[in-house]
Amino acid sequence: MPQQHTFTYSTVTGYFLQDETSTVAENFDFMSKDFGLLEKEYEEGTALDYSREKDTATQWRRFEREVTRLQKEAQSGTVYKVLYLGRHGQGVHNVAEKKYGTAEWDRYWAAQEGDTSSRWLDPHLTATGIEQAHAVHAFWKHQLAVAKTPAPQTYYCSPLYRCLETANLTFRGLDLPADRPYKPIVKELLREANGVHTCDRRSSKSTLMAAFPDFAFEPSMTEEDELWSATERETNQQLDSRFTSLLDDIFEHDEGTFVSLTSHSGAICSLLRVLGHWEFRLVTGGVIPVLVKADRGGGG
């Protein structure tokens, strides 16, 4: 029997470059494009009194006010959120796939734990991946101080090592509002497409908790990875159902409007499919915001 979900989701377009299918994902530089936020005017009555609060004249402040308006005028059961979707920095497995080529990687190497030069079972970031995360940290620092981009109110993260590293390097040490501290929450459902590929098999819970003591791990997470299968990989249909469940959890229980999710390429493509957005494939270290409308009353 198909799983019943709490909400139906859609992307509210017209606010970001990445919503437009004419935008080329592999060439998209979110850092030079203000996260892709479009310069635009909003409806009368949504403008702020700039004489009283100068920094509200930024495009992000106007957009934040627009989101507030949308929620205020929404019907009962409708929720708006802005999701900051971030892909981890380059991992050891990304280098290996490039080395062997995608066809040979999928045929053989993805199921191995490594080769003679590297290991990629729940791989760590490469030096390049660390640099990418540091660059995003510097970008967030600028956005918070100058562009007045709203800081996330909640930080969710995949339980795979490369995402935990990326989230820490990106957000730790930022000058965040007192009511929006960096307190990351690990969500098992936020992991990459599961099965066969050893890079998507997570480390033990105790290993991760020791390496990332400031992260909140779900009590339901098992010590060993009981979800990963050596013989079966999740289909897109299964992946989309999983991410619909994740979104249901977030939209049902998280009161924040601006939410960060640090995840993976395939996982983010699934999220975007569920949100009715085209599959904008992020490069390693990439981040895009998406304005989401959720209407209570899901389908199967």
Side-chain angles (χ1 to χ4, degrees), residues 25-281:
E26 56 265 31
N27 297 333
F28 183 68
D29 181 3
F30 69 94
M31 296 190 204
S32 68
K33 300 293 186 183
D34 198 18
F35 273 130
L37 185 65
L38 294 169
E39 288 282 342
K40 62 180 295 182
E41 298 294 330
Y42 297 112
E43 294 183 19
E44 279 190 38
T46 66
L48 296 176
D49 183 350
Y50 299 142
S51 64
R52 288 164 47 186
E53 191 177 350
K54 184 178 179 181
D55 65 15
T56 57
T58 71
Q59 191 64 40
W60 269 102
R61 285 295 203 192
R62 294 169 184 156
F63 172 71
E64 183 179 22
R65 184 61 175 262
E66 171 74 353
V67 175
T68 299
R69 181 190 70 80
L70 289 172
Q71 187 61 68
K72 183 178 180 180
E73 297 178 1
Q75 296 181 350
S76 176
T78 295
V79 181
Y80 289 90
K81 291 186 187 296
V82 176
L83 304 183
Y84 297 115
L85 305 179
R87 184 184 177 190
H88 61 79
Q90 184 192 72
V92 173
H93 65 304
N94 298 126
V95 176
E97 181 177 355
K98 186 175 181 180
K99 172 182 175 181
Y100 292 109
T102 299
E104 188 64 11
W105 172 260
D106 289 340
R107 186 193 70 82
Y108 177 76
W109 287 105
Q112 310 307 309
E113 295 186 6
D115 59 14
T116 57
S117 61
S118 60
R119 290 181 60 80
W120 51 75
L121 193 157
D122 197 7
H124 294 200
L125 296 179
T126 63
T128 296
I130 291 172
E131 290 176 3
Q132 289 171 335
H134 282 152
V136 179
H137 173 93
F139 176 66
W140 264 111
K141 182 177 180 180
H142 168 84
Q143 290 298 114
L144 292 168
V146 179
K148 304 301 178 183
T149 303
Q153 292 159 284
T154 316
Y155 302 81
Y156 295 111
C157 189
S158 158
L160 298 184
Y161 206 100
R162 56 197 183 269
C163 284
L164 300 171
E165 285 184 289
T166 299
N168 253 358
L169 293 171
T170 299
F171 295 112
R172 183 181 296 280
L174 289 175
D175 186 13
L176 296 167
D179 61 344
R180 299 187 182 191
Y182 173 59
K183 293 184 177 180
I185 301 168
V186 180
K187 288 283 192 183
E188 189 90 87
L189 291 179
L190 193 49
R191 62 192 293 170
E192 181 60 295
N194 212 359
V196 182
H197 293 198
T198 60
C199 59
D200 301 325
R201 181 178 182 179
R202 73 162 169 82
S203 302
S204 67
K205 185 176 183 179
S206 57
T207 295
L208 297 175
M209 291 180 71
F212 302 96
D214 295 333
F215 282 66
F217 289 80
E218 294 173 302
S220 60
M221 182 182 292
T222 57
E223 169 62 11
E224 300 300 331
D225 189 355
E226 298 178 5
L227 300 177
W228 185 85
S229 167
T231 58
E232 295 184 13
R233 190 159 177 82
E234 280 183 295
T235 65
N236 279 354
Q237 183 178 7
Q238 291 169 328
L239 196 59
D240 292 356
S241 179
R242 165 154 68 91
F243 277 102
T244 304
S245 295
L246 173 71
L247 289 169
D248 282 352
D249 179 28
I250 292 173
F251 275 79
E252 182 71 55
H253 301 111
D254 192 323
E255 296 182 356
T257 300
F258 293 86
V259 177
S260 170
L261 294 91
T262 303
S263 192
H264 310 262
S265 176
I268 291 171
C269 281
S270 176
L271 274 168
L272 293 175
R273 287 194 299 269
V274 172
L275 298 175
H277 194 287
W278 71 287
E279 290 187 35
F280 190 98
R281 290 192 170 273

